[in-house]
Amino acid sequence: MTIDIDWANLGFDYMKLPYRFIAHFKDGKWNDGEITEDATLHLSESSPALHYGQQAFEGLKAYRTKNDEIQLFRPDQNAERLQKTARRLLMAEVPTDFFIHAAKAVVKANLEYVPPYASGGSLYLRPLLIGAGDIIGIQPAKEYIFTIFAMPVGNYFKGGLAPTKFIVSRDFDRAAPHGTGAAKVGGNYAASLLPGYNAHEAGYSDVIYLDPATHTKIEEVGSANFFGITKDHEFVTPLSPSILPSITKYSLLYLAEKRLGLKAIEGDVPIDDLDRFSEAGACGTAAVISPIGAIQNGADYHVFYSETEVGPITHQLYNELVGIQKGDVEAPEGWIYKVELD
Ligand SMILES: *Cc1c(COP(=O)(O)O)cnc(C)c1O
């Protein structure tokens, strides 16, 4: 191994691994792509990705099982979401088979950097699709670059399964009512950098965004979806066209109902009705499940289950989800893709 890694203390930081996958779209079609050691993109200074934000990304993880097998969690869902994002931004779509082939190739090339089973870490894959080429008018690119790089990661939010506090943003939204909130694009993140920075400076993990039209309902966290557990054993998560549809969230909706016997509900989550929840959390590939200990909502500081301990149902959901991802718990049909190691 060329990079020394402290597996037990991985956070969520970029690490330049030896290999990544890159493919180019030109004259209406994708080339075969290849694994490369070159970690630098070469692109025209006029690329639409740089000027007009014509770019999209994804995030998924590879896990090492107890038996040293390597598996991906629902990569077909990431491929489909990237296609949906591409259609919203008039970009070339990456076919699902091609996406999964590229993801597996990157994992195989960087196999020794998939964290050991016992470390609790995983290999995070970052697919990136950008509009490139010599074009300066406001129009979609004719050329695209699709790349996937990888890095070993541990916890995204500092606490891991320890609850952290979040703050509601009213001065800033991450997305417009009919904008690109449901597309996984950098522009939404550019809009969230300032409120995110302010939240961190004030000691919060991240921002809770409200629906941009009325500011009365929870939408999501800047980089993860929101869920709450009601006192009546319901798993509730917001439904809105400007939320990024989290694959983790949809997986939890399924598991909450089928495995934990909760009632799974996608619906409105009024910010002034947090009392209904006994537990709350943020979920996403990077965040996994991050318990929300408390939400600062204007002058109101609302504590959920506890500010120091994860709630019992959130913990059960975590065990079920992570158990499936690491191969310890039987997965629903089609959720796990093994990486063939020859
Ligand atoms: C990627 C992302 C999520 C989480 O989605 P997963 O598919 O669960 O990783 C949530 N919110 C935003 C804004 C995101 O970009």
Side-chain angles (χ1 to χ4, degrees):
M1 190 177 304
T2 45
I3 308 170
D4 229 7
I5 293 171
D6 180 5
W7 298 115
N9 292 302
L10 285 170
F12 195 86
D13 299 302
Y14 176 71
M15 198 181 288
K16 200 184 286 181
L17 294 194
Y19 301 106
R20 66 277 304 123
F21 179 90
I22 190 160
H24 292 86
F25 182 94
K26 212 175 168 177
D27 301 326
K29 59 178 192 300
W30 288 105
N31 69 358
D32 290 343
E34 60 177 355
I35 289 289
T36 171
E37 292 184 51
D38 188 355
T40 304
L41 292 174
H42 299 272
L43 70 169
S44 166
E45 61 191 0
S46 71
S47 294
L50 300 177
H51 300 260
Y52 309 125
Q54 200 195 22
Q55 66 83 244
F57 69 100
E58 275 298 327
L60 69 162
K61 284 175 172 173
Y63 305 82
R64 194 181 287 277
T65 70
K66 222 180 247 162
N67 308 325
D68 259 342
E69 292 181 305
I70 309 291
Q71 55 188 32
L72 292 163
F73 181 72
R74 311 193 76 179
D76 56 315
Q77 298 297 302
N78 294 94
E80 284 176 23
R81 188 170 62 191
L82 184 60
Q83 290 154 13
K84 222 173 93 192
T85 300
R87 288 194 288 274
R88 177 66 179 81
L89 266 60
L90 290 178
M91 305 176 84
E93 292 181 37
V94 178
T96 300
D97 288 350
F98 191 42
F99 181 98
I100 294 174
H101 156 76
K104 287 180 173 177
V106 172
V107 174
K108 269 176 81 166
N110 297 291
L111 199 55
E112 58 187 321
Y113 298 97
V114 184
Y117 165 82
S119 71
S122 53
L123 187 74
Y124 181 79
L125 304 187
R126 171 51 65 88
L128 176 69
L129 176 64
I130 64 177
D134 300 333
I135 200 165
I136 197 67
I138 301 175
Q139 51 177 296
K142 293 184 176 64
E143 296 174 20
Y144 293 88
I145 296 173
F146 170 57
T147 179
I148 304 184
F149 59 86
M151 62 200 198
V153 298
N155 290 328
Y156 180 75
F157 291 120
K158 263 202 228 75
L161 251 193
T164 56
K165 55 183 182 175
F166 291 70
I167 184 167
V168 170
S169 169
R170 282 199 170 73
D171 295 341
F172 301 104
D173 298 317
R174 64 174 280 281
H178 302 282
T180 53
K184 205 166 176 78
V185 299
N188 298 334
Y189 281 84
S192 75
L193 286 176
L194 176 58
Y197 175 83
N198 291 341
H200 289 141
E201 286 292 292
Y204 300 92
S205 268
D206 208 341
V207 174
I208 304 264
Y209 291 98
L210 302 179
D211 71 290
T214 71
H215 281 182
T216 59
K217 297 172 280 187
I218 292 183
E219 287 251 307
E220 66 170 310
V221 180
S223 53
N225 278 187
F226 174 91
F227 68 86
I229 311 290
T230 70
K231 292 163 182 163
D232 304 322
H233 290 267
E234 295 160 327
F235 176 96
V236 184
T237 180
L239 184 64
S240 153
S242 44
I243 291 177
L244 193 284
S246 156
I247 295 159
T248 313
K249 188 261 296 287
Y250 284 111
S251 303
L252 290 176
L253 275 164
Y254 178 92
L255 296 174
E257 187 166 296
K258 304 282 189 214
R259 301 265 172 107
L260 270 66
L262 303 172
K263 192 165 171 211
I265 302 167
E266 270 190 289
D268 287 348
V269 179
I271 184 64
D272 289 328
D273 190 19
L274 297 180
D275 279 340
R276 65 198 278 228
F277 297 121
S278 51
E279 300 176 32
C283 65
T285 298
V288 192
I289 290 180
S290 193
I292 298 178
I295 291 180
Q296 185 81 53
N297 174 28
D300 180 50
Y301 188 69
H302 186 94
V303 177
F304 293 95
Y305 179 74
S306 153
E307 282 199 85
T308 52
E309 272 167 62
V310 56
I313 296 177
T314 304
H315 205 171
Q316 274 181 47
L317 280 168
Y318 178 90
N319 287 343
E320 193 71 23
L321 175 70
V322 174
I324 289 168
Q325 291 171 333
K326 303 192 59 142
D328 294 333
V329 171
E330 195 188 336
E333 179 87 35
W335 281 20
I336 293 297
Y337 284 63
K338 297 266 185 223
V339 178
E340 302 81 8
L341 307 171
D342 36 43

